[in-house]
Amino acid sequence: GENVEQHPSTLSVQEGDSAVIKCTYSDSASNYFPWYKQELGKGPQLIIDIRSNVGEKKDQRIAVTLNKTAKHFSLHITETQPEDSAVYFCAAGDSNYQLIWGAGTKLIIKP
Amino acid sequence: GAGVSQSPSNKVTEKGKDVELRCDPISGHTALYWYRQRLGQGLEFLIYFQGNSAPDKSGLPSDRFSAERTGESVSTLTIQRTQQEDSAVYLCAESGGSPLHFGNGTRLTVT
């Protein structure tokens, strides 16, 4: 079946440094790629998404890049802050209805 | 997640008992999803409701699992004869043509 691989499973970075999380998907028909942030005890919350008609999207300290040929996309967080500590999930599909989710990355920001 | 309420937040049950989990979504949002999240893993799709259409039950792992939704409001997920492998966080999400909005989930522990 279709799947999404997410790496690394855990990422520890110094406060102020950048963090990069990568995902690879198998279904070439996927055209919607959201990233969700999940804090402890809460449900996931969308932080940024991208569609296949663009290669990059940025929102303040967060950016997502997409390489459709290689079927991978990445989340970039710059100038990391303690409140960025959470679990991040990528997903791929052609709509919210048919999303396939990665296994998650636990991001730890060290003070 | 703002606007989506799930209850109970925590449920401990004995193996073999039935449990019912509740989701109160934002009124008027037609699409509602149930997901299962096992410890340290990604989101596993269970069931999808869209308006008055027949629900997509393709993600339900066994016939012990069922879900209902009354119109475009409350949904309940029922697990009969619970097993230890049912232990997980069960997340409800809704979408009104926008990104998914998740509740905070119900943490189910089967002893």
Side-chain angles (χ1 to χ4, degrees), chain A residues 2-6 23-26 30 73 90-93 100-103:
Chain A
E2 306 299 346
N3 73 307
V4 173
E5 293 188 0
Q6 183 172 347
C23 288
T24 303
Y25 61 97
S26 60
S30 296
F73 56 112
C90 65
I100 305 297
W101 296 76

Side-chain angles (χ1 to χ4, degrees), chain A residues 4-108:
Chain A
V4 173
E5 293 188 0
Q6 183 172 347
H7 299 281
S9 56
T10 304
L11 177 61
S12 182
V13 301
Q14 203 70 38
E15 181 179 350
D17 289 350
S18 296
V20 180
I21 303 170
K22 299 181 179 181
C23 288
T24 303
Y25 61 97
S26 60
D27 185 0
S28 57
S30 296
N31 59 21
Y32 176 56
F33 308 92
W35 286 89
Y36 281 78
K37 174 184 180 182
Q38 186 175 30
E39 296 177 340
L40 194 63
K42 296 187 177 180
Q45 184 173 12
L46 180 77
I47 55 170
I48 196 167
D49 57 8
I50 193 170
R51 293 196 179 270
S52 58
N53 56 343
V54 296
E56 183 174 359
K57 184 176 178 180
K58 190 173 181 180
D59 182 3
Q60 298 182 359
R61 297 187 295 109
I62 295 172
V64 55
T65 58
L66 171 64
N67 183 327
K68 282 221 73 178
T69 302
K71 291 193 284 188
H72 66 70
F73 56 112
S74 300
L75 177 71
H76 304 252
I77 306 174
T78 59
E79 301 173 12
T80 53
Q81 301 171 3
E83 54 264 36
D84 295 330
S85 294
V87 179
Y88 292 80
F89 291 96
C90 65
D94 65 359
S95 67
N96 282 328
Y97 168 41
Q98 295 177 323
L99 287 175
I100 305 297
W101 296 76
T105 296
K106 183 177 182 179
L107 177 62
I108 301 166

Side-chain angles (χ1 to χ4, degrees), chain B:
Chain B
V4 181
S5 178
Q6 290 189 245
S7 60
S9 56
N10 283 283
K11 176 71 177 179
V12 180
T13 190
E14 292 181 352
K15 177 182 173 181
K17 301 282 188 181
D18 297 352
V19 295
E20 186 174 280
L21 313 180
R22 179 184 171 104
C23 173
D24 284 280
I26 296 172
S27 178
H29 286 188
T30 60
L32 185 144
Y33 307 74
W34 283 97
Y35 287 91
R36 179 169 68 180
Q37 184 176 28
R38 290 195 165 118
L39 186 64
Q41 298 187 20
L43 277 64
E44 178 186 0
F45 168 77
L46 296 178
I47 189 168
Y48 165 68
F49 295 92
Q50 173 64 58
N52 294 320
S53 301
D56 178 354
K57 305 179 181 181
S58 60
L60 295 179
S62 77
D63 59 7
R64 296 186 297 105
F65 287 72
S66 63
E68 294 183 350
R69 188 183 188 193
T70 306
E72 295 183 354
S73 62
V74 173
S75 177
T76 56
L77 176 69
T78 301
I79 308 173
Q80 296 178 310
R81 305 181 303 280
T82 51
Q83 303 295 314
Q84 288 186 331
E85 61 263 29
D86 299 334
S87 295
V89 174
Y90 290 84
L91 291 162
C92 171
E94 61 82 26
S95 176
S98 61
L100 293 170
H101 296 287
F102 285 86
N104 288 336
T106 294
R107 180 175 297 279
L108 176 65
T109 304
V110 182
T111 61

